[in-house]
């Protein structure tokens, strides 16, 4: 089986096999993970399970607070990778030669909405000392 380096005509075929659906799927999954992680602390605080996340000292060794701090530090990489994947998916949808299904367009809007939600959750999170 020749590779795309031996036969340049195979490169577009391989790219179509990976396709925009796979890129879009990973963009949505990454954006959803970022949104969940970004809003986990505020949601738990509202539900009363997490306690207030602001105003605790760094020496406080509560496992829940340490876990929330750790998870909140993971939001920027999820947003950065999700944004890159969403941009790649957007470019693939715009360059599409064949007609794009409405499901893919809905997935693209979902990815961008979840990324916005994750970014808002990160930037509007209560400050911790």
């Amino acid at each position: 089986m020749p590779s795309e380096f031996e036969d340049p005509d195979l490169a577009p075929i391989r790219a179509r096999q990976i396709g925009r659906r796979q890129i879009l799927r990973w963009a949505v999954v990454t954006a959803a993970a970022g949104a969940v992680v970004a809003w986990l602390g505020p949601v738990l605080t509202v539900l009363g399970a997490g306690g207030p996340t602001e105003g605790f000292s760094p020496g406080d060794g509560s496992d829940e607070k340490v876990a929330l701090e750790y998870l909140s530090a993971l939001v920027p990489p999820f947003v950065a990778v999700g944004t890159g994947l969403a941009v790649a998916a957007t470019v693939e949808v715009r360059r599409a030669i064949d007609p794009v299904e409405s499901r893919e367009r809905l997935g693209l809007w979902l990815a961008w909405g979840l990324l916005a939600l994750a970014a808002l959750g990160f930037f509007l999170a209560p400050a911790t000392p």
Side-chain angles (χ1 to χ4, degrees), residues 24 93 99-110:
L24 184 58
V93 165
V100 178
E101 298 176 12
S102 62
R103 181 175 48 131
E104 289 179 14
R105 290 184 187 184
L106 181 64
L108 196 58
W109 279 103
L110 179 66

Side-chain angles (χ1 to χ4, degrees), residues 46-64:
V46 168
L47 295 176
T53 57
E54 56 188 356
F56 61 89
S57 65
D60 186 13
S62 173
D63 290 339
E64 296 86 15

